[in-house]
């Protein structure tokens, strides 16, 4: 159980770091990626989901990446819906992007998940999360 808490904290921080770097690059100024300082809850949960898929789904790396991407994208959709329902605000908004669904998910960001999860899969056996 301690291992999952450790992974939760690591992925939450790394997700925040990547998201903040991406948003800051796009906005050309510092733009924190999450509403919590230095932590992204959705990234922490996604990291746990992804490592669980790698560890327990007996399939090829490609199939694991596809499953993990679908789960991460579904998590993003549910997180967006929940944030809108509970917090009454959109933490991210993809309505202006083509091929979006309810403004919570869209194709380009799903492809970002594919890239990140593929990188995680490449290093998984070396790190053994």
């Amino acid at each position: 159980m301690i291992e999952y808490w450790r992974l939760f904290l690591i992925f939450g921080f790394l997700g925040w770091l990547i998201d903040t770097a991406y948003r800051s690059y796009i906005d050309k100024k510092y733009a924190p990626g999450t509403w919590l300082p230095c932590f992204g809850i959705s990234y922490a949960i996604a990291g746990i989901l992804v490592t669980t898929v790698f560890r327990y789904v007996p399939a090829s790396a490609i199939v694991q990446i596809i499953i993990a991407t679908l789960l991460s994208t579904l998590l993003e959709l549910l997180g967006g819906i929940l944030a809108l329902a509970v917090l009454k605000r959109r933490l991210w908004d993809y309505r202006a992007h083509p091929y979006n669904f309810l403004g919570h998910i869209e194709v380009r960001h799903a492809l970002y998940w594919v890239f990140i999860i593929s990188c995680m899969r490449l290093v998984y056996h070396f790190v053994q999360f």
Side-chain angles (χ1 to χ4, degrees), residues 11-28:
F11 287 124
F13 176 71
L14 289 175
W16 171 84
L17 192 65
I18 291 168
D19 197 28
T20 298
Y22 173 76
R23 288 176 188 239
S24 297
Y25 175 78
I26 297 297
D27 293 348
K28 296 182 180 21

Side-chain angles (χ1 to χ4, degrees), residues 7-80:
L7 290 174
F8 184 81
L9 294 174
I10 290 169
F11 287 124
F13 176 71
L14 289 175
W16 171 84
L17 192 65
I18 291 168
D19 197 28
T20 298
Y22 173 76
R23 288 176 188 239
S24 297
Y25 175 78
I26 297 297
D27 293 348
K28 296 182 180 21
K29 63 178 180 162
Y30 175 71
T34 61
W35 58 278
L36 286 176
C38 299
F39 194 78
I41 293 172
S42 59
Y43 296 109
I45 296 170
I48 298 294
L49 284 174
V50 170
T51 55
T52 302
V53 168
F54 292 166
R55 187 176 293 165
Y56 297 113
V57 175
S60 68
I62 299 294
V63 172
Q64 288 179 338
I65 290 167
I66 291 168
I67 291 169
T69 300
L70 291 173
L71 288 174
S72 298
T73 304
L74 179 62
L75 176 68
E76 186 175 17
L77 174 63
L78 294 175

Side-chain angles (χ1 to χ4, degrees), residues 3 16 18-19 29 46-47 55-57 60 64 68 70 91 95 97 100-101 103-104 108-109 113 117 124:
E3 175 186 357
W16 171 84
I18 291 168
D19 197 28
K29 63 178 180 162
R55 187 176 293 165
Y56 297 113
V57 175
S60 68
Q64 288 179 338
L70 291 173
L91 299 179
R95 289 180 290 185
H97 297 219
N100 76 79
F101 182 70
H104 299 298
R108 180 173 32 146
H109 285 82
W113 278 116
I117 291 168
Y124 175 72

